Amino acid sequence: MDNSCSLRKLRGCSFIFLSALVVVLFPGVVVGGGNFNNDVEITWGDGRAKVAESGDQLTLSLDQGSGSGFQSKETYMFGKIAMQMKLVPGNSAGTATTFYLQSEGPEWDEIDFEFLGNVTGQPYLVHTNVYTQGQGSREQQFRLWFDPTADFHNYSVLWNPHTIIFYVENTPIREFPNLEARGVQFPKDKPMRVHSTIFNADDWATRGGLVKTDWSQAPFVASYRNFEANACVWSGGTSTSTPCGSDSEGWFTARMEPEGLQKMGEFQRQFMTYNYCNDHNRFAGGFPPECSVQ
């Protein structure tokens, strides 16, 4: 599933090529206190994305005419990014709801949550991926141990120079460590915005595209609250020698501890439904080098 320039994620796809990246990283800034009026901007959807007057909740909707999306006003260079989401209830087959970080440019980096809808009563699939220099193909998919449509649940990403960790309700479900020493590219040079979209993906999302979107169920609505980015905020300027300054909460230097690895392993054994590192047909010539440690 490639990240082509389409309504799948970013409308318009007006990329800026960052040929000479020079950054200022402001230390330990917590961005986002749950007020979407201050923290995000609607990027597309012709009114289908709505922020509550109080700013404490946001909804994205999809109908046969269009989906919708938003992005963070700030751009980040490393951070712990979290969002509470309540996914589309009922028959959501064919829909995809995303929450991801992405840089700009033709060779973008990306850290990707996608939630793939299903027919009523069937579990959502949580699809994750990591792109570097515009190259992905690192998909892992999971089921969840709860109904993500019944209430809000917390989804977060830790991204620092050492590792990327995906969390669901503070449970680590996937790690993509920095293995540049083994020749594996790692996203650490391009600042990213937070994005979220809902769109029609019935050509691939549900059972590989076999189940199509039932438009009689539209509009399909996903809800958001409590966006928080404990992150290095990026802006043009001169670089700092110590990104983020003091690391009072420890996320900038965090690595997966043995307890976290055990918890992640238990989750994956029970809930993983696809791992590119086990797909012998796809990688008949040999698995990517990171698979030897994942």
Side-chain angles (χ1 to χ4, degrees):
M1 285 167 263
D2 71 322
N3 191 339
S4 58
C5 188
S6 71
L7 287 187
R8 178 182 165 195
K9 294 207 176 151
L10 293 175
R11 184 162 182 118
C13 296
S14 55
F15 293 127
I16 301 171
F17 181 60
L18 301 174
S19 58
L21 178 63
V22 186
V23 301
V24 170
L25 298 170
F26 297 97
V29 176
V30 178
V31 177
N35 192 313
F36 288 105
N37 288 319
N38 299 330
D39 302 334
V40 308
E41 55 190 7
I42 306 303
T43 49
W44 62 286
D46 297 324
R48 292 172 177 83
K50 300 182 185 299
V51 179
E53 186 174 349
S54 61
D56 63 346
Q57 190 164 318
L58 182 153
T59 57
L60 294 181
S61 66
L62 164 70
D63 57 38
Q64 202 160 5
S66 178
S68 51
F70 66 88
Q71 68 180 20
S72 62
K73 291 181 179 179
E74 299 286 5
T75 307
Y76 310 109
M77 193 71 197
F78 307 123
K80 181 71 179 288
I81 313 294
M83 184 82 76
Q84 289 188 353
M85 301 172 61
K86 182 164 65 173
L87 301 181
V88 176
N91 182 0
S92 58
T95 70
T97 305
T98 69
F99 168 50
Y100 63 102
L101 288 80
Q102 188 180 54
S103 68
E104 297 177 320
E107 296 181 344
W108 73 95
D109 293 341
E110 182 177 337
I111 303 168
D112 200 7
F113 268 117
E114 293 187 0
F115 304 90
L116 310 184
N118 220 322
V119 295
T120 302
Q122 298 298 311
Y124 260 79
L125 283 181
V126 180
H127 175 96
T128 64
N129 206 345
V130 176
Y131 287 77
T132 55
Q133 303 295 320
Q135 301 299 315
S137 300
R138 299 179 175 120
E139 301 93 341
Q140 291 184 353
Q141 292 183 349
F142 311 92
R143 293 178 290 107
L144 296 172
W145 65 94
F146 53 81
D147 180 357
T149 74
D151 203 352
F152 287 91
H153 292 273
N154 193 68
Y155 306 91
S156 61
V157 170
L158 171 69
W159 169 42
N160 68 28
H162 312 294
T163 192
I164 295 166
I165 305 174
F166 296 79
Y167 293 90
V168 174
E169 293 288 29
N170 297 316
T171 295
I173 68 168
R174 176 182 183 177
E175 181 184 24
F176 187 82
N178 186 337
L179 298 174
E180 288 181 307
R182 302 192 185 192
V184 180
Q185 292 181 326
F186 185 83
K188 65 177 180 58
D189 300 317
K190 299 182 178 71
M192 303 196 210
R193 289 186 189 272
V194 177
H195 298 267
S196 189
T197 61
I198 185 170
F199 58 95
N200 180 37
D202 66 3
D203 57 336
W204 62 271
T206 306
R207 294 182 58 201
L210 294 177
V211 182
K212 301 303 180 181
T213 304
D214 180 359
W215 293 111
S216 70
Q217 304 295 314
F220 303 97
V221 179
S223 301
Y224 301 78
R225 71 183 186 190
N226 293 342
F227 167 57
E228 185 173 288
N230 187 0
C232 304
V233 178
W234 175 87
S235 67
T238 58
S239 63
T240 60
S241 58
T242 54
C244 285
S246 63
D247 186 22
S248 59
E249 297 193 19
W251 64 262
F252 188 80
T253 56
R255 301 170 190 262
M256 187 75 84
E257 299 292 338
E259 182 180 354
L261 286 170
Q262 180 179 355
K263 197 171 184 180
M264 182 178 70
E266 292 172 353
F267 172 86
Q268 291 184 352
R269 283 189 291 273
Q270 188 170 359
F271 295 108
M272 179 179 280
T273 61
Y274 177 81
N275 183 0
Y276 73 111
C277 286
N278 294 331
D279 194 334
H280 293 273
N281 292 329
R282 184 177 178 187
F283 297 102
F287 289 111
E290 68 268 19
C291 291
S292 63
V293 296
Q294 292 196 57

